[in-house]
């Protein structure tokens, strides 16, 4: 069974950074893309970007290019997303998601990590 | 970016009714659209891939159709567990995008 286990809730001050993790069990992340999606309070889903853990190649949505940095550690089957220069509108739930192979839909999702930005 | 417009924003129905939810793309995207259901305080769940392809474990009352710019998610005889928010997602561009969602609520 494929499972994605995300790290716990984060409280960050404006201007600082946080690093979220997503540990995968039941599937080798070398064989898929890891995607990240956010959801601001009461709002819809927003695709942030994805990483190919096999080679570290990344693609970001334009608005997240200077906000998010995606990395992966294939030895621990874990992906990471660092959010920098936190602002209040970065407050959101952040999901990681994968599919089998390089299919462009999201079959498996983490439970989400709530990031709250507040001084 | 490819923009996906979902309509209506909210749909109020009685259990047992059949419904259609719309997703329109800002340019032709062939059948590169996928549908998700998100219940309150849960992660999204994949319902349909590539516009009309079914997903194992998803009830057969969910179906999808469309190609080009206009897509539809249909629910045949809505059940109480179906009241949630539905999103479409495109993969035609390598920069994926989601629609803004349709909330299905009980009338």
């Amino acid at each position: 069974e494929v499972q994605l286990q995300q790290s716990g809730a984060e409280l960050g001050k404006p201007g600082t950074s946080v690093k979220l993790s997503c540990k995968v069990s039941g599937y080798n992340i070398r064989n898929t893309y890891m995607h990240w999606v956010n959801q601001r309070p009461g709002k819809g889903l927003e695709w942030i970007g994805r990483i190919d853990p096999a080679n570290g190649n990344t693609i970001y949505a334009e608005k997240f290019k200077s906000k998010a940095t995606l990395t992966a550690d294939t030895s621990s089957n874990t992906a990471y997303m660092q959010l920098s220069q936190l602002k209040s509108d970065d407050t959101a739930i952040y999901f990681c998601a994968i599919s089998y192979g390089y299919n462009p839909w999201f079959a498996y999702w983490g439970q989400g990590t709530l990031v709250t930005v507040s001084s | 970016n490819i923009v996906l417009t979902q309509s209506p924003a909210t749909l109020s129905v009685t259990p047992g009714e059949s419904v259609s939810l719309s997703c329109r793309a800002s340019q032709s995207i062939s059948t590169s659209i996928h549908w998700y259901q998100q219940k309150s305080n849960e992660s999204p769940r994949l319902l349909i891939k590539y516009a009309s392809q079914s997903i194992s474990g998803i009830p057969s009352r969910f179906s999808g159709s469309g190609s080009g710019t206009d897509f539809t998610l249909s629910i045949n005889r809505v059940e109480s567990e179906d009241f949630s928010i539905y999103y479409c997602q495109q993969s035609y561009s390598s920069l994926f995008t989601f629609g803004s969602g349709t909330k299905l609520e009980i009338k």
Side-chain angles (χ1 to χ4, degrees):
Chain A
E1 180 187 8
V2 178
Q3 292 188 328
L4 282 65
Q5 183 64 41
Q6 296 188 237
S7 49
E10 297 272 3
L11 175 61
K13 295 186 185 304
T16 65
S17 299
V18 294
K19 190 171 186 178
L20 314 183
S21 67
C22 174
K23 183 171 180 59
V24 179
S25 59
Y27 197 78
N28 191 332
I29 64 171
R30 282 184 165 271
N31 299 323
T32 188
Y33 292 138
M34 176 67 75
H35 297 263
W36 292 84
V37 174
N38 81 352
Q39 187 166 39
R40 292 184 170 85
K43 303 298 183 182
L45 303 172
E46 190 171 27
W47 183 78
I48 295 170
R50 62 94 169 143
I51 184 168
D52 182 348
N55 57 28
N57 287 345
T58 53
I59 294 178
Y60 299 92
E62 187 66 33
K63 68 178 291 187
F64 290 101
K65 282 184 176 178
S66 59
K67 172 61 63 180
T69 302
L70 305 183
T71 57
D73 177 2
T74 55
S75 66
S76 62
N77 225 36
T78 302
Y80 301 90
M81 178 172 66
Q82 179 165 315
L83 300 170
S84 62
Q85 291 296 313
L86 290 174
K87 304 176 182 177
S88 58
D89 69 352
D90 293 323
T91 294
I93 297 173
Y94 291 83
F95 296 99
C96 55
I98 64 170
S99 188
Y100 278 122
Y102 298 96
N103 291 311
W105 56 82
F106 311 129
Y108 302 99
W109 294 72
Q111 82 277 21
T113 295
L114 174 62
V115 174
T116 304
V117 181
S118 175
S119 55
Chain B
N1 277 4
I2 296 173
V3 177
L4 299 178
T5 302
Q6 291 190 243
S7 62
T10 304
L11 189 55
S12 300
V13 302
T14 302
E17 286 187 55
S18 295
V19 299
S20 293
L21 285 60
S22 172
C23 177
R24 178 165 290 176
S26 59
Q27 66 181 73
S28 180
I29 58 170
S30 184
T31 56
S32 298
I33 203 82
H34 320 292
W35 290 93
Y36 301 84
Q37 174 192 56
Q38 188 180 31
K39 298 182 179 181
S40 184
N41 297 319
E42 293 186 9
S43 303
R45 177 175 70 151
L46 178 67
L47 296 177
I48 298 286
K49 62 182 181 180
Y50 283 131
S52 63
Q53 295 180 15
S54 60
I55 301 297
S56 176
I58 300 301
S60 59
R61 63 181 180 276
F62 291 94
S63 63
S65 63
S67 66
T69 60
D70 292 319
F71 303 89
T72 300
L73 175 70
S74 300
I75 310 175
N76 185 32
R77 297 183 181 175
V78 172
E79 299 190 5
S80 57
E81 64 191 36
D82 300 337
F83 291 100
S84 51
I85 302 176
Y86 294 85
Y87 295 95
C88 55
Q89 171 240 328
Q90 66 80 22
S91 61
Y92 185 82
S93 163
S94 57
L95 300 178
F96 295 173
T97 50
F98 286 93
S100 54
T102 290
K103 181 179 181 180
L104 187 65
E105 64 176 26
I106 299 176
K107 182 184 285 185

